Each structure stands twice: as structure tokens, then as C-alpha cells.
Amino acid sequence: MTEDGLAHRQLKMKHFCLCLMPVLVLLLLGSERVEAKKYLRCELTRVLVENYNFDKTFLSNWICLVEHESNLDTSKITLKQNDSKNYGLFQINSKDYCAEGRKGGQCNMKCEDFSNDDIVDDIACAKMIQEREGFKYWKKWDRFCRNSQNLPNLRVACNLRSLSPLRTPRSFFYISG
């Protein structure tokens, strides 16, 4: 075989491998796909008000919290020093509020369910935490958002005044505990 023929054959093999790689990755991941979402500040503001009827009074606190805790990323998982993990948009901790691999904790939720693009369960648990412990539960809120001067001005940045719920508030499942 000539050098040109060998080079051509190697190029075809590389192309084949490059085409085959995405298929193999999808097969390895299995059929269960978990979607994640990385929000933009105003996009999440709109979603929280219009779809989940968040009170505009505290919305800057929620947005500041999420920006600092998860960088607006629903798939974020953070390993803590005590071997627990924080999950999802609101970085809900596995030690107290959810259980890994099964439903549990004070929110009676599976922690992994906080790491997908469906934020209904995340919101229900985060609101419960906030009602019980206040925003101070979240260390990064305490560090970066406690001072109201550090909160984002959503009225200006995201035209908050123009937003209102699209329909009656979603009925959140209430978490006993």
C-alpha cells in the first residue's frame, strides 16, 4: 500500500470514529435523559413571576440567591465538606431536605430530581425552606445578598413591573414535616 493510500485509509478511519463517537455516548448514557437548564437572569425572573406566582417583593432576593448558589444552572451539584451534596437551582442540601436515590428528607424528595429542568419540585422545597429558616439558610445569600444594596434591580433590568402571573397560581404540593 502506498503512503497516500495509507493516509487516505487513516483519514477514513478517523472520520468513522468521529461519526461513531456521539452514538456510543448516547448508548452509554442510556435511554433515561435528564434535561438541564441554564437560565438567564431576566428569563428566570419572568418564569418565577408568570408561571409560579412569586411575590415581587422578595424576587430580587431569590434571583440573587440562585445566581450565587447555582449560577442559574439547574444541573449544579456541589459536594460539601460533611459529605452531603447541594442540588439544583436552589442548591438544596441532601442532609436535611432530600434523600439520594429515594424520596426523603423534610421535603420528601429525591435529591436527583432537583437537578433537571423541571423546577416545580425545587420551588416547592425552596419555599418551604425559606418559610422555616429564611433566606439565611443559604450561605451565599447570607454572604452576597443580605445587604439590599447588593440585590439586582429587576424593575429596571428585567422590566419587573410589566410581569404578572399568566394564570392562577400553580398549586404546589404541600410538604408535610
Side-chain angles (χ1 to χ4, degrees):
M1 183 175 281
T2 66
E3 280 188 29
D4 285 343
L6 184 60
H8 180 69
R9 190 173 207 189
Q10 288 175 334
L11 187 61
K12 284 180 83 173
M13 184 59 92
K14 277 186 182 179
H15 179 70
F16 175 75
C17 288
L18 285 173
C19 291
L20 187 60
M21 191 65 69
V23 173
L24 291 174
V25 168
L26 288 173
L27 288 173
L28 288 173
L29 291 175
S31 60
E32 186 178 320
R33 276 184 61 204
V34 174
E35 296 290 327
K37 173 94 173 122
K38 171 95 166 138
Y39 284 94
L40 299 172
R41 174 187 276 177
C42 292
E43 176 188 22
L44 183 59
T45 298
R46 187 184 73 251
V47 166
L48 294 179
V49 171
E50 292 180 348
N51 297 349
Y52 300 101
N53 199 28
F54 266 64
D55 184 347
K56 292 180 187 180
T57 307
F58 298 108
L59 196 56
S60 290
N61 284 279
W62 285 109
I63 295 297
C64 185
L65 177 157
V66 169
E67 286 178 339
H68 287 92
E69 289 287 345
S70 67
N71 198 25
L72 302 161
D73 186 353
T74 64
S75 68
K76 181 157 185 189
I77 299 172
T78 307
L79 181 61
K80 306 304 285 178
Q81 288 181 343
N82 65 0
D83 290 329
S84 67
K85 293 178 188 168
N86 287 349
Y87 285 86
L89 201 57
F90 297 96
Q91 290 293 279
I92 296 169
N93 191 266
S94 62
K95 185 178 177 214
D96 298 315
Y97 287 99
C98 61
E100 294 177 324
R102 61 179 173 75
K103 285 187 173 190
Q106 293 180 45
C107 290
N108 194 28
M109 292 297 304
K110 194 168 131 181
C111 296
E112 295 82 0
D113 289 344
F114 294 137
S115 296
N116 59 25
D117 64 350
D118 179 2
I119 61 173
V120 172
D121 47 4
D122 309 52
I123 288 170
C125 187
K127 282 187 168 186
M128 188 200 76
I129 293 168
Q130 196 276 333
E131 286 173 10
R132 289 182 177 184
E133 301 191 42
F135 286 111
K136 69 183 183 306
Y137 165 80
W138 290 276
K139 303 292 183 239
K140 290 186 180 176
W141 177 88
D142 199 41
R143 182 173 177 197
F144 297 105
C145 309
R146 174 182 279 243
N147 183 339
S148 61
Q149 292 177 331
N150 296 338
L151 297 176
N153 186 344
L154 300 175
R155 283 200 162 100
V156 173
C158 303
N159 199 12
L160 183 60
R161 290 178 194 207
S162 70
L163 300 177
S164 58
L166 294 176
R167 55 188 174 274
T168 57
R170 279 190 176 197
S171 56
F172 288 105
F173 48 90
Y174 288 97
I175 303 162
S176 61

